[in-house]
Amino acid sequence: WRTWSGQYLLMVPSVLQSGSPNQACLQLHNLNESLSVSVVLEYSSANTTIFEQSVRRDGFFQCIAFTPPRATSSPLAFITFSGKGATVRLAERRSIAILNVDSVDPQGNRIFQWLNVTSENAIVQLTFQLIKEPTLGNYQITVEKKSGSSTHHFFYVEEYVLPKFEVTVHAPKSVSVLNLDFKVKVCGTSPERRTWLFPCSLTVSFPSQMGKDGCISQVFSSKIFELNRSGYQMALHVKAVVMEKGTGVQLTGSAYIPVTLVLGSVRFENMDQSYKRGIPYFGQVGQLQGEISVYSFLLFLLSCQAIYKTSDNCNAVGWLLPFYPEAHYSVHRFYSRTNSFVKIEPEPEVLSCGHQTVKIVLTTHYLFGHLLELDFSFVSYLMVSFYAQVMAKGKIVLSGRQQVLTSGALKGTFSISLAVSEKLAPAAQIFVYTVHPARELVADSARFQIEKCFKNKVQLQFSEKQGLPASNISLHLEAAANSHCALRAVDESVLLLRPEQELSAETVYNLLPLQQLYGYYFNGLNLEDDSKEPCVPADNIFHNGLYYMPVSSDFGTDVYLYIKASFLGPGWNFWPKLEREATSE
């Protein structure tokens, strides 16, 4: 099949999620005859046909939805691609995995159960009362579905006596050796986070009276600590003792303040993993006052240096010398056999969903290098097809094709509109590619952080932020018309003991079975297929009385890195796989 002049590209997530729709995208390029194409998912002894039809036109591109079966034992499965024509026989088989998105019911004693429960608008509310002296430890609630699968939730029963109040010490995260003073604030609050309004005393290095807000602040001079003298431990320990008047109850709070020699620094942030010749390079520096310079440029390596401020201290025995550290960053070039590149402009900020669908415009740069033996010098403009796939939550959620009319220079930009919604949260991996006439896959991948939002919008708030006992407070709930809402009310002290149990967008998204993965390792399985053509060993060659030693050449990263970062399990007969094998020779 390597003698076939056409190319195919099949992209499937390397980890499929059972019981829910997944997508596979197939593209055929330079098709000069009709092909009967088949894509089959093989698991255990059962086969699931994903795609099966006759393709007659060139430039075929289609994404197909399918539902993988449930993994019963090993998660290992296979995707098989085949194409048959009058003169063509194509076949390829790749490894993937199947992830079950539910949990196994653990063994345990059943203390309560409900049978034949039906939900109203997908919400069920049930209650049961524990005995007066329940067994302490972990409890679990198990929900068994009609399909036979189950999911569970854990809660913990323990004895705990809430303290009458707690002490919180607010101190700087660090102080430098040149700080003249620093501020410490101590507060005494109740477990319900109501501020103590009666006087308390604070003992740090002196007794002091707390204010009506239950807090006290004190500014300390650093001179007495001699922060710039060597031989001391580079940290300050703050200890506060709060005593309740009338009862004599005392509680202690503390804080740890590191002492640093760093007066200011710069850092490189959100830097591109590689640079592409002729394409803008994107990155950020943490301090605007800093200076950036390229101090070395090799054929395959670009090195950058950022300076906040030069240090002009003199050596002094027994004294600590503060300084301004420099930042260094090195980046390798991106390898393309035809010197052709695609670049998606990054967005370091989290993209907001909003109350309506928000559309963003992704600017994409492209540059096509030499076209080998192909000559387009007589053409003023060339129509190029770019393809885009968007992955979120481990699935292909969006795909499309865009025609771009390029100029004679074969360099420019185009835009892709993307609707930001809950379908893309919490992160969207965007993969944009095109096919070079010399059979090279030219691509780029970028990851965008999305606000953790939901399709159904709801707002909940009290009429007053604070209130006295027995006062009348109203609760305002706002949602779309005909919405079915569920409310949960718990004592705030429960959340103080286990703050991770607080219901939030973060906790809901953490329940997702698959959020972000990289590469082809999953549950101990290596889904990356071995090379069909092993590399030539790099041995010394003896010729005409002389030894010739092979020279190692680093071609840099290539498009295979982007496919791997997108967590796509590809099947192809384009150039990237052949180039990846060659780089290890």
Side-chain angles (χ1 to χ4, degrees), residues 177-218:
V177 294
L178 296 185
N179 275 123
L180 297 178
D181 49 44
F182 58 93
K183 183 179 179 181
V184 175
K185 182 178 180 181
V186 179
C187 296
T189 57
S190 71
E192 291 80 13
R193 297 187 179 179
R194 294 191 303 268
T195 304
W196 290 106
L197 300 180
F198 47 80
C200 301
S201 64
L202 166 67
T203 303
V204 180
S205 59
F206 54 89
S208 185
Q209 191 79 11
M210 280 188 166
K212 292 184 178 181
D213 60 349
C215 299
I216 185 173
S217 298
Q218 180 67 37

Side-chain angles (χ1 to χ4, degrees), residues 1-10 26-39 55 80-93 439 532 571-574:
W1 56 271
R2 291 187 182 276
T3 60
W4 183 47
S5 60
Q7 299 93 41
Y8 64 88
L9 180 66
L10 171 64
L26 176 64
Q27 179 185 356
L28 297 173
H29 191 65
N30 290 337
L31 187 64
N32 51 19
E33 63 177 274
S34 298
L35 287 182
S36 296
V37 179
S38 174
V39 178
V55 179
T80 300
F81 168 83
S82 63
K84 297 180 181 179
T87 61
V88 176
R89 293 292 186 272
L90 303 174
E92 189 166 1
R93 192 169 185 252
R439 292 185 61 190
K532 296 180 180 179
W572 55 34
N573 69 334
F574 290 95

Side-chain angles (χ1 to χ4, degrees), residues 135-141 153-158 498 501:
T135 303
L136 304 181
N138 276 315
Y139 286 67
Q140 70 175 17
I141 300 174
H153 171 75
F154 292 93
F155 66 93
Y156 198 77
V157 177
E158 62 180 341
R498 297 186 180 274
Q501 296 294 330

Side-chain angles (χ1 to χ4, degrees), residues 236-248:
L236 296 173
H237 296 269
V238 180
K239 181 180 179 181
V241 179
V242 177
M243 181 182 66
E244 183 182 8
K245 284 189 176 180
T247 63

Side-chain angles (χ1 to χ4, degrees), residues 71 88 109 143 158 184 194 219 223 236 245 339-340 353 389 421 457 486 516 541 554:
V88 176
N109 296 323
V143 179
E158 62 180 341
V184 175
R194 294 191 303 268
V219 177
K223 293 182 179 180
L236 296 173
K245 284 189 176 180
N339 291 323
S340 302
C353 291
Q389 293 180 348
S421 65
K457 307 300 181 183
Q516 179 181 358
I541 299 176
D554 185 5

